[in-house]
Amino acid sequence: MKSPSLRIVDLRAAAAALLASLCIAVAGPAAAAPAGLENVKCLSCHDGSKDAIEVPGTDGESRELHSIPPDAFAKGVHAKMDCVACHTEITDNAEPDDTHKKDPALKAKDCASCHEELWERARQDGTAKDRPRLGVVAENIAAYKESFHARKNADDPTRPNASCDECHSSHSFNVPPKDSPQYAEWRLGVPETCGKSCHEESLETFTESIHGEAIFQKKDAKAAVCSDCHSAHAVGNTSLAPFKLAVTAECGNCHEENFKSYKATYHGQITTLGYAYTAKCFDCHGSHDVLAVKNPDSKVHPDNRMKTCKECHNGKKDLPEAPPGFASFQPHGHTGDFERYPQMWLANQLMIQLLLGTFGFFWLHTLLWFWRELRDRQQGKVPPHMRADAPGLQGDKHAGKHFRRFSATWRIAHLTFALSLMILTLTGIPLFYPDAPWAAPLMKALGGPQVAGLIHRVNAVIFAAVFFWHLGYVALKLARNWKEFRIFGPTSLVPGLQDGKDFIAMLKWFFGKGERPVFDRWTYWEKFDYWAPFWGVTIIGVSGLLMWASTITATFLPGWVFNVAAIFHSEEAFLAVVFLFTVHSFNNHFRPDKFPLEVVMFTGSMSVEEYRREHALEYERLQKSGELEKYIVDAPSRPMALGSKILGFTLIVAGLTLLTLVAIGFFGSH
């Protein structure tokens, strides 16, 4: 992709080529120069063949005028113009020893005003659309006026830091056509144009760099020159965020693979989102002094990396001093090269297999279930959401009653778990998909990366706290009732042989080879939903903690651990979000028998009839043991039922919104 600055440079040639004809065609036939002020006469003194011409400078000291080689002038875009068309204040042809008389009422035309006038006339007479490149010149002028070059010079406030003719040499300006040998030669001269005029020290440093070596020694016109990084006209303050962000993107125009891998790091993600406070290409590699990695003087040479890292991670402000492990972090590591980055390759392969296995199995399971349940519903085999007072239940002592399935404690824990996970998703996905169209606005709405990071970590603590509270609660309960507990019993969440039998029976039902199976307290998919967070929280939690406590991690572990942790963290988070808002939501809300919402996790209870239908084995067991009555409760009050529906729908809408954002980010980045 061509950068804006390169486009501007490329367009200058065409724009400049038009100017000579525009000066005549737009303004009409030009009046001939006054006698004695023809170009031949002017060049007879100013062609540099005689002694240098000196004139008084603004500082009181004499200054030497630039000579105008006739051959260069003849090839320039202004060759057909008279000298006095620009130098309008000159009214005589005095010899060099004298001083030209100048009309005080006239002022020499400057490049910008002349070109702006041409563009304005083209717009007024309706020919602007036929001269689009003239509009580009006008845009360049507008950019220049806002640039660092247009500011008043600190030493001489009467002139700008750099004027048009200092870079373009108005007497010989003529950028050759792109892709021509002459154009390549012109590009090779850009560094000297900038350096010899004003930026001598930068030129000296640049000459010794890998870019300068390519330009001056290898004559590689594709290598970076000043205008590629600083732009041609919109030269900005290099200490401000817009420049830092723009120059990083400029690096990516040449170093595409390295730029892609950089954008996958935290530094690059924050940069892509439009924030300039993390490390950019030039922070690590240098700017004018970029050297090859193998060069002992390079900032990224293995012997110098710690020093480079400590330029930012120096123990000041919010960044602790960089520990040794930072030096082995791979800012350009990627998962496609086993030989160079084996740890990243293996981590990625492991997560890919986990994703494919989980989604492949459960999405197929979901589709088959949807198809079978829809068919049964159409045939009247599955009465959805049967009311407790429906015909057949009238007269039953449990008519209108509910079965208490979840206590208030479990419901609060579930809700806290769900909310914290959604917030973690909301604050994490802008980093995972920083190029997505919604990423930057979302990050801004969250208050920026630092605020979003704080929110993310707070909810990570809440998420983990609920998980560990659950472990403690279960451990305590098992300790109190260990004699009655049966690891593969009907109330246990530990998968057993019966779950395998239930799964096979479910498959038979899917394909019409058997009746719909009946279940005990927990179904096999509910057990999977229960155990999935154990590996999910472990993977996400440990990897997140390693990156959060980066200084401690890198004190004891090598830097590639961060590369691997980022893969585990992001891919497992992707798995959790997509699974929850597709498979889990289908199992509990979206299948025909439950659509559009199941509120048992919000009310804590379900109608006795629905419970008897979905958990027939537990119902029969409790009924035989006489324990059923202690689980029978009144139906939720009207406000409770309404509030549960509102809460449920709100969470579903939020979840589907997050899933949509993830889908846009995923498909937009692949």
Side-chain angles (χ1 to χ4, degrees):
M1 178 179 177
K2 190 180 294 183
S3 69
S5 61
L6 280 177
R7 288 197 297 269
I8 291 174
V9 171
D10 295 342
L11 291 173
R12 290 191 315 199
L18 289 171
L19 293 180
S21 58
L22 286 170
C23 288
I24 299 173
V26 176
L37 292 177
E38 301 89 348
N39 287 359
V40 174
K41 179 61 177 178
C42 296
L43 288 174
S44 66
C45 293
H46 293 274
D47 62 0
S49 61
K50 301 179 180 179
D51 295 336
I53 302 174
E54 294 186 352
V55 297
T58 55
D59 56 359
E61 300 291 332
S62 61
R63 65 183 181 89
E64 184 178 322
L65 293 179
H66 293 294
S67 59
I68 298 108
D71 291 342
F73 177 71
K75 296 177 181 179
V77 295
H78 298 133
K80 295 181 180 181
M81 294 177 61
D82 289 317
C83 301
V84 291
C86 293
H87 299 279
T88 55
E89 78 283 14
I90 303 298
T91 60
D92 72 348
N93 59 0
E95 292 296 326
D97 292 338
D98 300 320
T99 302
H100 282 299
K101 292 181 180 179
K102 298 181 180 180
D103 187 341
L106 299 175
K107 185 178 181 181
K109 288 188 177 181
D110 63 277
C111 305
S113 61
C114 181
H115 295 171
E116 286 177 322
E117 181 180 348
L118 291 174
W119 173 239
E120 185 59 31
R121 289 184 183 180
R123 293 173 61 187
Q124 291 178 356
D125 63 20
T127 61
K129 62 180 180 179
D130 299 324
R131 298 183 174 91
R133 297 190 186 279
L134 184 57
V136 172
V137 175
E139 291 176 3
N140 288 345
I141 293 171
Y144 164 77
K145 288 182 176 180
E146 298 295 325
S147 73
F148 188 80
H149 279 164
R151 296 179 185 177
K152 292 182 179 179
N153 185 274
D155 297 327
D156 184 2
T158 63
R159 65 181 185 86
N161 285 319
S163 58
C164 304
D165 59 345
E166 288 181 275
C167 298
H168 295 300
S169 182
S170 55
H171 295 102
S172 59
F173 179 59
N174 187 5
V175 179
K178 187 172 172 57
D179 297 327
S180 67
Q182 293 80 13
Y183 179 82
E185 184 178 354
W186 174 82
R187 263 187 65 85
L188 293 174
V190 169
E192 288 192 348
T193 298
C194 299
K196 290 186 176 180
S197 300
C198 305
H199 306 285
E200 294 90 350
E201 292 184 7
S202 296
L203 176 61
E204 183 178 350
T205 304
F206 175 81
T207 302
E208 301 298 324
S209 73
I210 193 169
H211 292 146
E213 180 182 342
I215 291 291
F216 295 114
Q217 297 181 29
K218 299 179 181 180
K219 304 299 180 182
D220 181 5
K222 295 182 179 180
V225 295
C226 311
S227 56
D228 292 327
C229 299
H230 294 277
S231 86
H233 299 93
V235 179
N237 190 327
T238 57
S239 64
L240 298 181
F243 173 82
K244 293 180 179 180
L245 296 172
V247 76
T248 304
E250 293 291 346
C251 295
N253 285 321
C254 294
H255 307 281
E256 294 181 6
E257 290 301 318
N258 283 340
F259 186 53
K260 181 179 179 181
S261 56
Y262 163 76
K263 289 176 66 176
T265 67
Y266 177 75
H267 291 154
Q269 291 164 341
I270 297 298
T271 297
T272 304
L273 288 169
Y275 299 87
Y277 64 84
T278 56
K280 308 290 182 286
C281 309
F282 54 84
D283 289 313
C284 299
H285 293 275
S287 50
H288 299 114
D289 56 345
V290 179
L291 299 172
V293 177
K294 61 183 179 181
N295 189 315
D297 295 326
S298 171
K299 294 181 66 177
V300 292
H301 185 275
D303 294 341
N304 302 326
R305 286 179 188 170
M306 280 309 303
K307 181 180 178 182
T308 300
C309 291
K310 289 182 178 180
E311 289 180 2
C312 295
H313 297 269
N314 51 20
K316 300 177 181 179
K317 296 183 179 180
D318 299 327
L319 295 177
E321 185 172 337
F326 276 30
S328 56
F329 171 67
Q330 299 294 337
H332 296 297
H334 58 85
T335 58
D337 191 336
F338 175 78
E339 292 186 3
R340 294 185 64 186
Y341 313 110
Q343 301 91 347
M344 296 182 67
W345 186 89
L346 290 170
N348 185 61
Q349 291 300 314
L350 177 62
M351 292 307 302
I352 287 177
Q353 299 308 315
L354 180 61
L355 289 168
L356 291 178
T358 302
F359 290 138
F361 176 83
F362 280 100
W363 282 349
L364 179 59
H365 184 275
T366 295
L367 290 173
L368 292 172
W369 192 351
F370 178 82
W371 176 79
R372 182 73 264 168
E373 197 165 282
L374 185 61
R375 289 290 301 273
D376 283 1
R377 185 174 182 181
Q378 291 171 343
Q379 297 171 9
K381 295 181 180 180
V382 181
H385 296 288
M386 180 180 286
R387 302 192 316 274
D389 59 351
L393 287 181
Q394 294 178 1
D396 190 316
K397 66 177 182 179
H398 293 149
K401 295 291 185 178
H402 272 226
F403 180 88
R404 181 173 59 82
R405 186 158 165 79
F406 299 107
S407 67
T409 302
W410 288 111
R411 281 146 42 207
I412 293 172
H414 176 271
L415 181 60
T416 305
F417 211 57
L419 289 174
S420 60
L421 184 140
M422 288 184 174
I423 296 174
L424 285 168
T425 303
L426 183 69
T427 53
I429 54 176
L431 290 182
F432 199 21
Y433 300 115
D435 281 314
W438 48 260
L442 175 57
M443 183 58 78
K444 184 177 181 180
L446 290 169
Q450 292 166 323
V451 175
L454 177 61
I455 297 172
H456 192 82
R457 289 187 287 273
V458 168
N459 280 274
V461 172
I462 295 173
F463 188 80
V466 173
F467 179 76
F468 286 112
W469 166 85
H470 167 75
L471 292 181
Y473 178 86
V474 171
L476 182 62
K477 190 172 183 179
L478 289 176
R480 290 177 176 175
N481 304 284
W482 67 273
K483 291 183 179 181
E484 293 81 14
F485 176 71
R486 291 162 52 195
I487 189 169
F488 295 115
T491 61
S492 173
L493 279 163
V494 178
L497 181 61
Q498 184 58 44
D499 295 297
K501 295 179 180 179
D502 290 343
F503 172 65
I504 293 174
M506 198 74 163
L507 288 179
K508 290 181 178 179
W509 173 63
F510 286 162
F511 293 101
K513 302 299 183 181
E515 294 296 322
R516 182 170 185 166
V518 293
F519 298 98
D520 212 304
R521 180 170 181 77
W522 306 110
T523 63
Y524 64 84
W525 63 85
E526 288 175 330
K527 291 183 179 181
F528 182 87
D529 284 352
Y530 173 78
W531 286 103
F534 281 79
W535 86 62
V537 172
T538 300
I539 294 175
I540 294 177
V542 172
S543 59
L545 188 61
L546 289 173
M547 294 186 289
W548 184 2
S550 59
T551 303
I552 298 175
T553 301
T555 301
F556 302 99
L557 298 173
W560 57 260
V561 169
F562 296 118
N563 299 97
V564 172
I567 294 173
F568 281 138
H569 195 76
S570 58
E571 297 298 337
E572 180 59 33
F574 175 83
L575 171 61
V577 171
V578 176
F579 182 88
L580 285 171
F581 300 134
T582 57
V583 178
H584 181 74
S585 293
F586 171 84
N587 292 346
N588 292 279
H589 303 292
F590 300 151
R591 56 189 171 98
D593 194 28
K594 294 290 185 180
F595 188 82
L597 178 68
E598 171 61 80
V599 296
V600 63
M601 188 49 79
F602 307 116
T603 62
S605 64
M606 60 198 304
S607 70
V608 172
E609 174 56 27
E610 188 176 3
Y611 161 71
R612 179 172 17 186
R613 177 162 51 87
E614 294 198 354
H615 301 278
L617 297 180
E618 184 182 35
Y619 177 84
E620 293 173 1
R621 188 179 68 257
L622 292 175
Q623 192 175 45
K624 289 179 180 179
S625 67
E627 298 178 276
L628 181 62
E629 293 301 321
K630 69 180 183 180
Y631 293 98
I632 301 300
V633 297
D634 292 332
S637 65
R638 187 179 182 87
M640 178 67 173
L642 179 60
S644 296
K645 290 181 179 179
I646 293 174
L647 176 60
F649 278 121
T650 301
L651 292 176
I652 287 177
V653 170
L656 292 179
T657 300
L658 291 172
L659 180 63
T660 301
L661 295 180
V662 170
I664 294 172
F666 177 81
F667 291 108
S669 62
H670 290 77

